[in-house]
Amino acid sequence: MMKQYNNRRVLLIIALALSVMGCNRDTDFINQVYITQAVSSQIVPVHVEEGKGSINISASAALAVGANEQVNIEALDASYLERYNSTNHTSYSLLSDSAFKFSAGNMNISSGTALSNTIEVKIDINKWKSHRPGRLYAIPVRIKQVGNGIKPIPGQDFALLTLESIIKQQSAQFTLSNKNYVEGFEVDPKTFTNPETNAFYENFTVEGRFMCAGVFDGNEAGYMWQNVLFAYQGAYFHFNSSGSLQPTSGPVDALIPLLSINRWYHFALVHKSGTLTYYIDGKPLLTSAYTAAVGGADFGHTSGTAKLTLAEYRIWRTARSTSQIRSFMCAADPTDPDLIAYWPLNTTDPKLIVKDISGHGNDLKIISPFNILPVEGKCPGE
């Protein structure tokens, strides 16, 4: 649907230009301008790494202008972004004006041309102390004014510059000590219980990131090994020594025959209305019936030479949408009211407790002592 919408936007501008060229110069037609980078989509991503990034933006006219034209541009305020979020069912937060600046306030289209010069929007979120990793930040920009009575094209005079940040992360790689099996973490049953009603959460989402740094070598010490990404009252998300995913009692070979070693993946389990949907990298793989039952959960079990590496484990009290899952693979805001447990798993000291940073006190218990090797990386792009 979005692709069709974008195609219609492009066709609209082309049609406008053709209609102008078909007009007599003596008519009352007024040329129109738009933000070049927003021609196919109002959402314009900006790559940000180590807190810094930039993008060049320009303006275009539907037809070559007859005289030099100045196009003024402005950043919009939080109230505008709130209306945008409400209309488009998004959850962007406004980037503070202390974290970005324009190289100029206007762009110029020279006579006889239809494309302006570019201005740079430079971003440095390190200068903003209130920035929170895990939020979706954006800068709404709009054409404010054009000279000589030229009008902006409605809907094409706006762009939402969205920050696509690469986040540095430290993850936990489980290694074997004096035995061939790591027993991982235990999740307290109360994590899945609403403290206000003492009832089980009807909807929930479990998600995290994982990587296997060993080899899929089949038989280890006389048995086939498996890695437990999450196990909860009959809802399993495992993968085994063949590299196959195993959501319940058997591998889903038809959906993902193999996982690759030394590659990070994101997984999610979404429970909603008596069904459980399995995701890898934001793509729904399988939906099956599931009768929820109150109880504890665990994850992080590994054996053999798998070297299971985990990061960014979270539990939500809602059935997260596909868009939400895709948008928050790397991090989430720990103060989000729907978040009931958050374990970044960036610990370097394997004590008996791993703290929940959501503030709900749903700490993890290590089932038995094992070695944790801290692994540095970036998300996405590892």
Side-chain angles (χ1 to χ4, degrees), residues 187-195 201 295 315 340-341 343 361-363:
V187 181
D188 195 302
K190 71 179 179 65
T191 304
F192 291 90
T193 304
N194 189 334
Y201 286 112
I315 300 177
I340 56 177
W343 309 291
N362 291 315
D363 300 334

Side-chain angles (χ1 to χ4, degrees), residues 44-49 51-55 123 162-166 380:
V44 180
V46 184
H47 179 84
V48 175
E49 187 166 0
K52 296 183 178 181
S54 66
I55 188 171
I123 295 169
T162 59
L163 275 61
E164 292 194 349
S165 298
I166 288 181

